[in-house]
Amino acid sequence: MCGIIGYVGMRDAKKALISGLQTLEYRGYDSAGIAYFTEDKIKTVKTVGKVSCLKEKVANEAGSDVTNCGIGHTRWATHGGVSDTNSHPHTAGRVTLIHNGIIENYKELQDELAEAGKYPVSQTDTEIAAMVIDHCYKGDPEAAIRMAISKLEGAYGFCILFSDIPDTIYAVRNGSPLVAAHTEKGSIIASDMVALVSYTKHYFVLKEGHIAKMTSNDILVKDENGEIFSPYIHHISWDMAAAKKGGYDYFMMKEIHEQPEALRNTIRPRMVGGLPDFSADEVGDELFTDINRIIITACGTAMHAGLIGRNMIERLCRIPVTVEIASEFRYQNPIMDEHTLLITISQSGETADTLAALRLAKERGSRTLSVVNVKGSSIARESDYVLYTHAGPEIAVASTKAYSVQVSVMYLIAFRIALVTGKISEDEAQNYMTALMSTVDQVEEALGYDAQIENISKRIAKSESIFFIGRGIDHALSCEGSLKLKEISYIHSEAYAAGELKHGTISLITDNVPVIAVVTQPDVFAKMISNVQEVRSRGARVILITGADATVDAALCDHQVVLPETDPLFSPFVSAVVLQYLAYYVAVEKGLNVDQPRNLAKSVTVE
Ligand code: M6R
């Protein structure tokens, strides 16, 4: 949510900032701006629209400026509409800054500033933060930042320039992520590793409350007490190619195709002697013994991965599992203790609601395990235990490969718990692991369904509403298919437990309304077919997704997608590809920007 970058060094800072913002654009694309030192003054260029608009404006208005130090921002609007004035960077007196997050008490602070005769020009909470820092600034930037953050409530990642301290960037954060690196050619900081990877593979995460002072020569970090702190250096295993489109029209399509590799990278290291094993992750079995309850909490797609996880854990381990939407969970006064295992799932590891849920669980003494894609992210660092998914960077706002690997880790967790609690034998565990690995081949096969799904997508792209139905894991998967579709195609969609439709929603099924029925589970096959009959007889255009051996009457549907032969227990991995394709091709047919759907941002770091 908002991409931020700062660079100081030997390179042309304008170029470094713009190219960094291009890689961060998926975090928000309402407006963009940069501010930089030139001839010892700070100059700001900002505009509504995408980074390409900013690039053009910079070329027109600042083409000849020489600069080696600056900050840049791509905005996902929260407070204040989308306008040039509300775009970042914001300046107050000697302070110019960019911000990712929300200052919750900005109104009170604004009132206090008004008493001192200071008024903002924008409608943003960010400008108030800049004003507070400027108000506290008496010549010592660190003291000003420290005093200001003691007044701020909410989430923030700030990069700050002080007009009287040239070629220096200060950074501080609370909640919102900031990663930084010093290289031979200078120092760089950003809200996401993807902006750093073309410079270095070694970086550190700025801790909450620490202040970084960045110059061309080094980065000095001080802790809350003003003591110098040496941050832990992380190493990334992927390179710049992973953060580029690689010949595909959209990142989403590239990422759909990366699923087999991501799945193998995630599962293989946890398969030891054919058994599920988390020793390399340092997740010991003591975590899984003596628990009487599991709560899975996450948002959006990650929460949908949790729904499938619940099904698998309850089925194999016979431990009660609930799946909670993270933003609801923390306000429910949840019942949990040391015998509760809280599993958080998050691609970014920075989702504010999920992080808050994790913190609550820790306060209540529960054990915590997170399933996270981004190394060193807040959720990963704050959990007792972490199982990293190895999807590599996911750039498209619509999550695809991150979802599949999250689901695969939920299967691994189910297998391991079932094994260590004696619910399944070693032989059974080995069989499950073998089946999971071979499902990856079927995912690869499903990638060849693109032409068929594109064809179906063209027929439903003009619909106003599209329904997904399924039972059990097919319902969990339908939730994800429906979210994916509405997220990028802007078509209203709902996912329903197939048996529930007739309790109200079936009134919405009329002639030609598409109903996508996921029918892969043999134990509920007959029931599903009856539910499909119910919508068919009300005129629905039915798209059936079935297992390879399902026999269905041709009159029951308009289109049937027959999945590659897969063990039904593992079918979500394969069906997911079909539903991802469906959303993708509908959006493409409508001429929409698949990777950057309106109003959305990749990483939601505000509550
Ligand atoms: O980074 P996270 O996995 O915590 O993000 C959670 C959701 O915001 C995310 O899955 C969102 O629903 C996706 N854009 C869906 O495609």
Side-chain angles (χ1 to χ4, degrees):
M1 194 144 270
C2 296
I4 66 181
I5 185 157
Y7 172 78
V8 50
M10 293 166 208
R11 299 169 195 263
D12 174 349
K14 276 183 296 164
K15 269 198 193 152
L17 296 175
I18 301 263
S19 81
L21 288 180
Q22 278 164 335
T23 62
L24 291 169
E25 194 163 29
Y26 66 97
R27 297 180 69 96
Y29 28 84
D30 289 328
S31 64
I34 57 172
Y36 50 89
F37 283 100
T38 182
E39 295 170 354
D40 284 352
K41 284 202 186 78
I42 295 174
K43 179 160 175 176
T44 299
V45 184
K46 54 188 188 177
T47 178
V48 295
K50 300 208 164 189
V51 178
S52 54
C53 305
L54 175 70
K55 192 176 176 184
E56 207 179 306
K57 195 166 179 184
V58 169
N60 291 339
E61 292 181 11
S64 57
D65 287 352
V66 176
T67 175
N68 299 103
C69 175
I71 54 179
H73 187 270
T74 175
R75 181 174 186 236
W76 187 83
T78 57
H79 294 58
V82 178
S83 69
D84 284 356
T85 312
N86 288 339
S87 306
H88 300 215
H90 288 279
T91 298
R94 285 181 286 178
V95 169
T96 295
L97 63 69
I98 49 176
H99 171 214
N100 171 24
I102 288 180
I103 306 302
E104 286 166 359
N105 61 336
Y106 80 102
K107 269 274 171 224
E108 295 98 89
L109 294 168
Q110 187 171 348
D111 293 345
E112 283 174 28
L113 288 161
E115 281 171 25
K118 296 183 177 183
Y119 301 95
V121 292
S122 74
Q123 290 82 49
T124 64
D125 53 334
T126 302
E127 189 187 355
I128 303 299
M131 292 169 75
V132 172
I133 298 174
D134 181 60
H135 192 65
C136 298
Y137 186 42
K138 308 283 179 264
D140 178 347
E142 281 168 40
I145 293 170
R146 222 162 268 306
M147 191 186 294
I149 61 175
S150 72
K151 296 173 190 283
L152 302 181
E153 286 168 19
Y156 49 82
F158 293 125
C159 287
I160 312 161
L161 305 179
F162 290 85
S163 60
D164 52 344
I165 307 187
D167 295 340
T168 308
I169 300 169
Y170 289 86
V172 67
R173 77 175 192 104
N174 181 50
S176 309
L178 278 177
V179 290
H182 179 68
T183 71
E184 280 177 358
K185 293 203 166 170
S187 304
I188 182 153
I189 187 160
S191 43
D192 195 318
M193 197 43 222
V194 290
L196 268 56
V197 72
S198 56
Y199 299 90
T200 181
K201 289 192 163 192
H202 313 293
Y203 68 101
F204 71 88
V205 179
L206 185 66
K207 290 195 169 205
E208 292 188 353
H210 287 197
I211 297 177
K213 177 186 178 187
M214 300 173 52
T215 61
S216 186
N217 296 332
D218 64 3
I219 304 180
L220 185 69
V221 179
K222 291 196 184 159
D223 67 14
E224 301 82 347
N225 305 315
E227 302 291 334
I228 292 176
F229 178 83
S230 298
Y232 175 80
I233 303 294
H234 295 269
H235 307 275
I236 44 159
S237 49
W238 45 272
D239 58 21
M240 198 53 204
K244 290 197 162 156
K245 277 190 210 151
Y248 290 92
D249 289 342
Y250 287 102
F251 278 109
M252 182 178 173
M253 190 50 120
K254 175 176 175 252
E255 289 159 4
I256 289 173
H257 279 83
E258 285 171 345
Q259 289 180 108
E261 193 194 346
L263 283 165
R264 289 190 183 106
N265 290 344
T266 302
I267 302 165
R268 254 196 205 126
R270 278 115 186 189
M271 189 167 179
V272 179
L275 292 170
D277 189 302
F278 297 143
S279 344
D281 302 284
E282 298 181 6
V283 175
D285 289 335
E286 67 281 1
L287 181 64
F288 302 128
T289 45
D290 203 21
I291 48 171
N292 54 25
R293 184 168 179 223
I294 295 177
I295 300 174
I296 301 173
T297 189
C299 302
T301 287
M303 193 271 292
H304 294 155
L307 292 175
I308 295 192
R310 172 179 67 189
N311 192 297
M312 288 307 299
I313 296 171
E314 288 196 332
R315 191 188 289 226
L316 296 185
C317 313
R318 308 307 300 152
I319 296 174
V321 183
T322 50
V323 181
E324 309 285 349
I325 294 169
S327 55
E328 290 292 310
F329 173 71
R330 54 182 305 225
Y331 298 106
Q332 282 165 359
N333 194 8
I335 303 161
M336 54 202 310
D337 59 23
E338 69 276 19
H339 300 294
T340 310
L341 171 63
L342 181 99
I343 304 179
T344 48
I345 309 176
S346 176
Q347 186 285 128
S348 62
E350 299 293 349
T351 300
D353 287 315
T354 311
L355 182 59
L358 167 67
R359 287 175 177 166
L360 177 69
K362 290 184 79 175
E363 266 166 45
R364 304 228 161 156
S366 299
R367 309 165 197 197
T368 58
L369 168 67
S370 65
V371 177
V372 173
N373 196 42
V374 177
K375 283 203 182 130
S377 55
S378 303
I379 292 173
R381 281 181 294 110
E382 293 194 27
S383 300
D384 298 331
Y385 298 91
V386 190
L387 290 169
Y388 281 111
T389 50
H390 299 300
E394 191 179 64
I395 309 290
V397 166
S399 189
T400 53
K401 61 175 178 172
Y403 168 76
S404 296
V405 292
Q406 286 163 351
V407 174
S408 74
V409 173
M410 297 315 293
Y411 275 64
L412 292 172
I413 292 172
F415 299 159
R416 185 72 205 170
I417 298 180
L419 181 65
V420 300
T421 55
K423 297 289 189 319
I424 58 171
S425 66
E426 286 206 350
D427 280 354
E428 285 169 315
Q430 274 178 344
N431 290 341
Y432 282 129
M433 288 301 287
T434 308
L436 180 61
M437 269 313 279
S438 61
T439 303
V440 183
D441 298 336
Q442 280 106 53
V443 170
E444 220 145 42
E445 212 179 308
L447 290 172
Y449 283 35
D450 48 349
Q452 184 191 1
I453 309 300
E454 183 178 12
N455 187 29
I456 296 172
S457 303
K458 283 186 175 152
R459 290 157 199 255
I460 60 171
K462 291 203 170 76
S463 308
E464 279 178 15
S465 224
I466 297 181
F467 292 83
F468 289 73
I469 57 171
R471 285 173 181 250
I473 49 178
D474 285 342
H475 172 240
L477 184 84
S478 298
C479 294
E480 175 55 12
S482 171
L483 172 65
K484 209 91 303 165
L485 181 84
K486 64 190 145 200
E487 183 177 22
I488 60 170
S489 75
Y490 314 151
I491 295 175
H492 164 255
S493 171
E494 288 182 42
Y496 259 81
E500 182 67 9
L501 205 66
K502 57 186 166 298
H503 295 284
T505 309
I506 203 161
S507 63
L508 298 174
I509 306 295
T510 53
D511 273 354
N512 263 326
V513 170
V515 175
I516 293 147
V518 189
V519 192
T520 68
Q521 299 305 301
D523 55 336
V524 287
F525 182 79
K527 293 274 182 290
M528 271 304 296
I529 294 301
S530 304
N531 298 141
V532 171
Q533 297 274 17
E534 289 157 11
V535 294
R536 186 72 172 156
S537 59
R538 274 132 188 116
R541 171 188 280 273
V542 173
I543 296 148
L544 268 190
I545 300 172
T546 67
D549 52 2
T551 316
V552 287
D553 179 352
L556 193 65
C557 61
D558 295 275
H559 314 275
Q560 186 182 357
V561 180
V562 182
L563 299 173
E565 199 165 337
T566 312
D567 180 332
L569 204 60
F570 299 87
S571 68
F573 295 97
V574 185
S575 324
V577 173
V578 171
L579 298 187
Q580 292 162 354
Y581 269 160
L582 196 81
Y584 176 88
Y585 283 117
V586 169
V588 168
E589 178 67 17
K590 293 184 74 180
L592 299 170
N593 183 337
V594 172
D595 285 341
Q596 295 177 345
R598 71 182 174 213
N599 302 343
L600 285 166
K602 180 73 180 165
S603 176
V604 184
T605 50
V606 295
E607 290 178 43

